[in-house]
Amino acid sequence: MKPQETRPKDICLDCRQLVELDVGDITKLPPPYDDWVDEPIAEVPDEKRERFEASLDGVIGNVIPVPGTEEEKQALVEKFLVGIDKLFSKEDNWTFLQPFLLSIENCVKCNTCADACPIFEASGRVEIYRPLFRADVLRRIANRKRSKLGALTGRLTGADIPVTWETVARLADLAYRCTLCRRCAQDCPMGIDNGLIAREIRKLFSQELGIHPEELHGAGTMKQLHVGSSTGMNPMALADILEFAEEDIEERTGLNIKIPVDKAGADILIMHNAGEFLSWPENLQAFAIMFELAGLSWTIASDLVGYDSVNYGLFYDDIQYSRVTLKHAEVARKLGVKKVVMGECGHAHKAFMATGDRMWLGESNIPRESCLTLMEDLVCNEKIMVDPSRNDFPVTLHDPCNITRSMGIVMPQRKVLKKIAPQFREMTPHGVHNYCCGGGSGFAIMQSNNFPDWRMRIAGRKKFAQIISAFDDCIGPETNKYVCAPCSNCKGQIRDLLTYYEAWDRCRILYGGLVELVVNAMVDVKEGFLEWDFH
Amino acid sequence: MATVTLGGKDVEIDEDGFIQDPNEWNEDVALDLAKTEGVEEMGEDHWKLVHYLRDYYLKFGIAPMIRKLCKENGFSLKYVYEMFPSGPAKGACKVAGLPKPTGCV
């Protein structure tokens, strides 16, 4: 079937693969990438298809084992149907029932969401990626179940999708072709949140069928709860990393800085995404330098889970989300800090603040603040002194969806950049209308099978086009350029994009956070904190 | 999960070819893993890096940060990529018998 012709009812078709993707359909890039040709997305070998579902679009994202027998398939279908009932009941879905019901019941099918979705657009309008497609499959199945007259009237009321194993398996995968960026919800005239619907489908599969990407669950929240971090970083490794960070700060800046650990009663407990400790140590070092030179009372926590702000439960499972956030709250409460500051991690902002507001109750209701507003205070109120000429190179800003669109934090990072980066230029569009990096909702860490091929070519296409367009006046490799992305997950995705599109070698585009730029401009820090070395 | 022959013995690997049990690792296993990563020949510096990664992993349960491994071995990141074309995390760690990196790294 042509990818542009599939309809929601086709999801149950008994065929090897519903949609064949063609990289020739993917939207073209602006110069100097107008002649860019993508290699096809790697084929899933037949022996793997016998073990894992690849019947949606030939991409393995949410790794779903193929059930061995018809009975097993039927048992999973039954669990799915029980899960549908639970999504619609207030006893079982106290977290998101209201916005979920509003989104299921009030869509007028105007398809404004389709033009807002970067994946649908970049794919060349592959129908299964249309935000309404996924939502409509769920809506029709639910209508059929919930209608008093059931299947008899189903065809008349748009409730005509048979729930077979094919339907269930494809829907489980389809929930992982959306980055939950919620740009569709931003644009919807009815306020329908198709991102939430995708997320609730993920929840159903995780909580009722035990189906979830290993990176988010086994190697994600479970590992975090048992070892302390989804990266596997235990408290002993943390101590080693901090010791190295202090030495490295001294070498880079000449400053002798001690990173405070478990300082009870500190004004600020900063929680970083553990990725900063392992992949982007300059980020956590920059925070340490900025806080110390600003004379702040601060600490990091060494308690299990307390040193890794990630909470992948946000992306797929309310129970796992709750376990992790309660642990974070307990660490903050035990230390008796005055507030918790979120480092440069988008989903942690949402997990600690917007969603966290419903879990951090009573004694645990400790104020939480974004590092971006804190930086705005330090830079704009001149609590640290900066020399913007040190950042005299083109800088553009990526808006992490969870910080900007979800939380409404739009101006603080821009006020900081206007003080420290004389060649700052916006992407088009930006702010709450930004495009997702393509790695949102856990995609950036889903590195298995052929999912990264799909993520680079389709999910991240719009963002890469935006990045090169923002630098179209200086795109050549003779000018160093910087994409400021104040979010670990986005940084991972942008690193992978710049690598896939060879943009460091071809265009000299580097990426990093915001705090590194701040420290690079600080007059009390030796020049050259920022290293023009792709990593 | 699949079982393959590496260094003359049966070893379990994940979908991306990382071995599952670090105890199964030895230099013969490493030589076969290196072939899957496009490493033609394991020279002195390859071994130095691989042993460093493995020792760090056995001590701390994770791979070291890339900046630290470069600094402590006196290698530039560029040189690490020259030795292991798929990079330190995917290439060098796989040859050293570490599991696939997890989390936002």
Side-chain angles (χ1 to χ4, degrees):
Chain A
M1 189 174 298
K2 279 194 70 162
Q4 287 78 9
E5 291 172 359
T6 324
R7 297 290 171 262
K9 65 178 168 46
D10 300 327
I11 198 162
C12 65
L13 287 182
D14 185 9
C15 60
R16 180 173 181 268
Q17 191 173 310
L18 187 59
V19 166
E20 301 285 340
L21 297 175
D22 178 353
V23 290
D25 290 342
I26 301 172
T27 48
K28 299 286 171 258
L29 289 163
Y33 284 87
D34 37 347
D35 58 351
W36 179 263
V37 179
D38 296 282
E39 292 286 320
I41 292 169
E43 277 282 324
V44 178
D46 284 343
E47 62 82 20
K48 200 170 262 190
R49 280 178 188 265
E50 286 170 16
R51 293 182 291 134
F52 301 112
E53 290 291 341
S55 72
L56 178 70
D57 52 3
V59 176
I60 296 183
N62 186 7
V63 181
I64 307 162
V66 175
T69 62
E70 285 306 313
E71 289 73 36
E72 281 176 42
K73 285 182 182 173
Q74 199 48 43
L76 287 166
V77 169
E78 292 300 326
K79 283 185 182 178
F80 171 78
L81 291 169
V82 170
I84 293 270
D85 285 339
K86 289 190 178 178
L87 279 187
F88 285 88
S89 98
K90 73 173 189 297
E91 289 74 24
D92 291 302
N93 191 6
W94 61 271
T95 37
F96 293 107
L97 183 65
Q98 189 184 44
F100 176 68
L101 281 182
L102 289 171
S103 296
I104 289 288
E105 291 172 356
N106 292 303
C107 173
V108 296
K109 318 273 168 80
C110 70
N111 271 298
T112 306
C113 50
D115 292 326
C117 175
I119 290 178
F120 179 59
E121 185 189 333
S123 69
R125 300 178 85 82
V126 169
E127 280 296 320
I128 57 169
Y129 303 150
R130 184 187 285 275
L132 201 54
F133 186 104
R134 183 186 303 105
D136 233 27
V137 170
L138 184 74
R139 190 176 282 118
R140 292 194 195 186
I141 293 169
N143 283 348
R144 181 181 176 126
K145 250 185 119 344
R146 295 168 78 220
S147 155
K148 289 198 176 69
L149 296 171
L152 273 178
T153 55
R155 203 167 288 277
L156 296 172
T157 55
D160 53 354
I161 296 181
V163 184
T164 62
W165 169 247
E166 284 74 20
T167 307
V168 172
R170 287 181 182 135
L171 186 60
D173 221 4
L174 195 50
Y176 290 86
R177 298 294 182 277
C178 160
T179 64
L180 313 184
C181 81
R182 300 174 71 235
R183 195 168 188 270
C184 54
Q186 175 76 34
D187 280 12
C188 176
M190 300 296 287
I192 307 298
D193 190 343
N194 284 312
L196 177 70
I197 291 176
R199 193 269 178 192
E200 293 296 273
I201 297 172
R202 295 179 178 194
K203 174 168 95 181
L204 187 169
F205 279 101
S206 182
Q207 295 183 188
E208 298 302 317
L209 287 79
I211 291 176
H212 28 229
E214 169 67 11
E215 290 94 338
L216 297 185
H217 187 72
T221 52
M222 294 304 279
K223 196 171 190 178
Q224 187 180 15
L225 289 164
H226 292 136
V227 183
S229 164
S230 55
T231 58
M233 179 170 66
N234 58 32
M236 198 171 76
L238 174 75
D240 179 68
I241 286 164
L242 292 179
E243 190 188 323
F244 177 79
E246 289 168 354
E247 290 166 17
D248 208 28
I249 290 174
E250 188 161 9
E251 207 166 294
R252 279 176 183 225
T253 66
L255 296 165
N256 183 7
I257 283 176
K258 186 94 190 110
I259 296 175
V261 179
D262 299 329
K263 196 168 109 187
D267 290 348
I268 291 169
L269 165 62
I270 183 146
M271 285 200 183
H272 291 294
N273 180 313
E276 313 298 358
F277 294 90
L278 292 164
S279 293
W280 300 285
E282 62 279 7
N283 182 278
L284 90 106
Q285 292 176 15
F287 270 108
I289 293 166
M290 184 178 71
F291 284 179
E292 283 296 304
L293 295 187
L296 302 184
S297 152
W298 69 289
T299 189
I300 65 165
S302 75
D303 248 12
L304 223 55
V305 186
Y307 50 84
D308 186 358
S309 68
V310 312
N311 188 343
Y312 299 148
L314 190 80
F315 302 142
Y316 79 101
D317 188 306
D318 288 352
I319 298 164
Q320 294 298 95
Y321 165 77
S322 304
R323 286 177 175 147
V324 174
T325 203
L326 289 173
K327 192 75 196 152
H328 282 143
E330 183 191 327
V331 169
R333 187 184 55 75
K334 265 171 56 186
L335 276 177
V337 293
K338 296 199 175 65
K339 69 180 169 191
V340 181
V341 169
M342 311 321 313
E344 294 187 5
C345 172
H347 88 274
H349 272 67
K350 191 172 169 188
F352 276 73
M353 296 191 267
T355 313
D357 276 348
R358 305 187 63 185
M359 300 294 290
W360 290 50
L361 304 169
E363 275 190 325
S364 297
N365 191 4
I366 299 156
R368 280 142 279 148
E369 184 184 358
S370 167
C371 64
L372 299 178
T373 50
L374 182 66
M375 274 191 261
E376 180 194 3
D377 177 44
L378 296 178
V379 173
C380 298
N381 294 325
E382 300 186 350
K383 293 176 182 172
I384 53 175
M385 298 311 289
V386 291
D387 171 7
S389 72
R390 290 189 184 185
N391 285 334
D392 196 8
F393 44 81
V395 173
T396 192
L397 174 67
H398 165 65
D399 285 300
C401 303
N402 282 311
I403 294 178
T404 305
R405 190 156 36 246
S406 278
M407 303 278 306
I409 302 172
V410 182
M411 291 314 291
Q413 57 273 44
R414 293 179 159 75
K415 288 182 187 163
V416 171
L417 281 170
K418 281 176 185 156
K419 282 266 186 190
I420 62 167
Q423 295 191 50
F424 167 58
R425 72 272 309 281
E426 292 279 10
M427 290 190 199
T428 308
H430 57 263
V432 296
H433 299 288
N434 77 311
Y435 282 108
C436 174
C437 62
S441 79
F443 283 13
I445 63 166
M446 287 164 64
Q447 298 280 13
S448 282
N449 297 299
N450 59 357
F451 194 72
D453 287 1
W454 181 86
R455 181 161 57 85
M456 290 300 102
R457 289 159 182 73
I458 296 179
R461 189 69 147 212
K462 287 293 289 186
K463 180 51 61 178
F464 183 67
Q466 273 195 295
I467 290 172
I468 48 175
S469 298
F471 295 128
D472 63 357
D473 60 326
C474 55
I475 196 69
E478 61 284 352
T479 311
N480 282 338
K481 297 169 279 286
Y482 189 91
V483 182
C484 172
C487 166
S488 299
N489 188 82
C490 304
K491 276 191 295 198
Q493 165 75 359
I494 291 172
R495 170 195 60 204
D496 292 353
L497 283 175
L498 297 178
T499 305
Y500 172 72
Y501 292 105
E502 303 162 4
W504 170 248
D505 289 332
R506 290 172 62 144
C507 310
R508 273 291 178 275
I509 302 176
L510 188 67
Y511 71 99
L514 178 61
V515 70
E516 296 92 317
L517 285 179
V518 171
V519 170
N520 197 51
M522 282 175 70
V523 295
D524 293 327
V525 178
K526 192 167 85 182
E527 273 190 61
F529 178 79
L530 202 68
E531 292 173 1
W532 290 93
D533 191 13
F534 192 82
H535 61 284
Chain B
M1 216 65 76
T3 305
V4 294
T5 307
L6 294 169
K9 61 176 181 176
D10 290 344
V11 182
E12 270 206 353
I13 56 166
D14 72 3
E15 295 303 322
D16 302 293
F18 287 80
I19 68 167
Q20 293 303 285
D21 180 0
N23 296 317
E24 291 288 329
W25 186 90
N26 60 39
E27 291 199 354
D28 291 332
V29 171
L31 283 171
D32 278 351
L33 285 167
K35 286 178 201 153
T36 70
E37 283 304 302
V39 180
E40 297 292 315
E41 200 187 331
M42 290 284 289
E44 195 183 320
D45 284 348
H46 288 85
W47 286 118
K48 183 178 167 189
L49 181 55
V50 159
H51 282 293
Y52 173 80
L53 288 170
R54 181 167 165 81
D55 291 346
Y56 193 92
Y57 178 75
L58 292 178
K59 192 166 172 194
F60 292 109
I62 51 166
M65 66 168 92
I66 291 166
R67 192 173 170 85
K68 183 172 167 122
L69 82 83
C70 288
K71 212 165 169 180
E72 298 206 339
N73 289 284
F75 299 152
S76 69
L77 187 56
K78 194 161 173 266
Y79 182 56
V80 174
Y81 271 92
E82 279 166 23
M83 287 193 284
F84 295 94
S86 48
K90 290 194 191 85
C93 285
K94 186 192 279 186
V95 177
L98 273 59
K100 189 166 54 189
T102 58
C104 293
V105 293

